Amino acid sequence: MPFFQHEDITLFYTDEGTGTPVLLLHGWACDSHDWSFQIPLLISLNFRVIALDQRGHGRSSVPQSTDNYAPRAFADDAFALLKHLETGPAIVIGHSMGTIITSVLAVEYPDAIKALVLVHPIYSGVPDALPIMAEAMRAEPYRAPEMAADFFAKVMYTKQTPEWLKTWQIRRTLGVDPITLVGSITALVKVFGSVMGQSKEAKAFMRKRKGPRLAVCTMEAAPGWEREIGIEEGADEIFTMTEGTFSHMVESEKFNKVLGDWLKTYGHPANHSI
């Protein structure tokens, strides 16, 4: 049964394939469907692929307090699922907000991580619009889905983004519970300066992550920041894509080639137990 109870949260996940485990963590207002372009590839490369709907998203339950959406809470869910499935250390692939959660998971539970893949990493800075939107959502939470959908339409896409993808994602965003949207974005703004951003504290936090790292960057500042916080030659790689937040979907063949090549080199460590 693809549901896992962690404390008072019911989490939906899928678990397919055999071999080295890969955990997929989606972004804000999204769900594990966003990995549909990558799951078949990963299975074909002989990975065990675990795709999680994070708390409040997709088919997982919705905590009824906006205080329950901190990156640490998401990371705790992910670790509990890995432990429940007895996977041993996993390769964790996070997208957008998922890159924050993946980073927190790597710092807080280093023995659970074999390698990191960060897709559209956003921790180098918070767009000016984000704190403004968070404040507006807190003031009018019933309008949060509408605000989130508008943010997607204005920020997330490029001219090359297919109209079907925009339609699917915006319709999905309109169906996300306002508590999830408000709680998640408020929590991201709160960790700016300690986990995210250009402060010494945020950089020191990110440097605690261990293991090989692939960063697929779509924001202009992101590659430079990845280098600044440290690159291990022969293990870490930075790749740039230009088709917006969802480049891994818009240019899935290009992204999958980069991901597959990197994983063939770094992706099949010996199994251990958490």
Side-chain angles (χ1 to χ4, degrees):
M1 186 174 181
F3 289 93
F4 166 59
Q5 192 73 24
H6 178 222
E7 297 174 348
D8 59 344
I9 307 297
T10 302
L11 298 168
F12 172 85
Y13 69 96
T14 55
D15 183 2
E16 304 174 79
T18 59
T20 301
V22 175
L23 175 65
L24 303 173
L25 300 178
H26 62 77
W28 180 66
C30 299
D31 60 38
S32 56
H33 276 113
D34 281 15
W35 300 111
S36 297
F37 293 85
Q38 283 71 54
I39 290 172
L41 167 74
L42 293 167
I43 292 173
S44 75
L45 294 175
N46 299 316
F47 289 101
R48 178 183 179 182
V49 184
I50 302 157
L52 172 65
D53 280 1
Q54 302 191 75
R55 58 171 58 202
H57 295 79
R59 290 144 293 272
S60 293
S61 62
V62 181
Q64 291 301 300
S65 169
T66 56
D67 294 332
N68 289 335
Y69 291 91
R72 175 63 186 265
F74 286 110
D76 287 348
D77 289 341
F79 175 74
L81 178 60
L82 292 177
K83 193 170 183 180
H84 168 72
L85 295 174
E86 299 181 339
T87 63
I91 299 163
V92 184
I93 305 179
H95 173 244
S96 194
M97 182 181 77
T99 66
I100 306 296
I101 298 162
T102 296
S103 298
V104 173
L105 182 63
V107 172
E108 299 292 342
Y109 301 105
D111 292 341
I113 307 299
K114 275 295 180 184
L116 302 176
V117 179
L118 304 151
V119 184
H120 179 62
I122 61 171
Y123 41 74
S124 59
V126 173
D128 293 339
L130 213 60
I132 296 171
M133 184 167 62
E135 184 176 350
M137 283 185 174
R138 289 193 296 272
E140 298 181 286
Y142 66 93
R143 292 191 58 236
E146 177 188 340
M147 295 180 199
D150 186 59
F151 183 75
F152 266 61
K154 290 179 177 177
V155 175
M156 303 292 201
Y157 306 124
T158 70
K159 292 180 180 179
Q160 303 304 317
T161 305
E163 289 301 319
W164 69 263
L165 182 58
K166 298 178 187 178
T167 300
W168 169 48
Q169 291 183 332
I170 289 172
R171 285 174 56 83
R172 177 180 60 184
T173 301
L174 289 168
V176 179
D177 195 295
I179 291 174
T180 299
L181 295 172
V182 177
S184 300
I185 196 169
T186 299
L188 287 180
V189 173
K190 280 185 178 179
V191 299
F192 186 70
S194 60
V195 173
M196 302 172 64
Q198 299 293 328
S199 70
K200 290 182 179 179
E201 186 179 359
K203 293 174 184 176
F205 181 89
M206 288 296 169
R207 290 186 181 116
K208 294 178 183 177
R209 301 175 300 175
K210 305 299 181 184
R213 179 170 96 248
L214 170 64
V216 181
C217 301
T218 66
M219 297 170 65
E220 185 176 352
W225 203 70
E226 290 290 340
R227 294 186 182 94
E228 184 178 348
I229 59 178
I231 293 294
E232 181 181 342
E233 293 298 329
D236 299 338
E237 183 175 339
I238 299 170
F239 190 82
T240 300
M241 298 187 74
T242 59
E243 291 308 323
T245 302
F246 297 98
S247 288
H248 67 298
M249 302 173 74
V250 178
E251 293 187 298
S252 59
E253 291 186 7
K254 182 178 180 180
F255 174 85
N256 284 0
K257 177 68 165 56
V258 172
L259 177 63
D261 287 348
W262 190 81
L263 287 174
K264 287 173 185 176
T265 302
Y266 301 106
H268 288 283
N271 289 326
H272 300 85
S273 296
I274 296 177

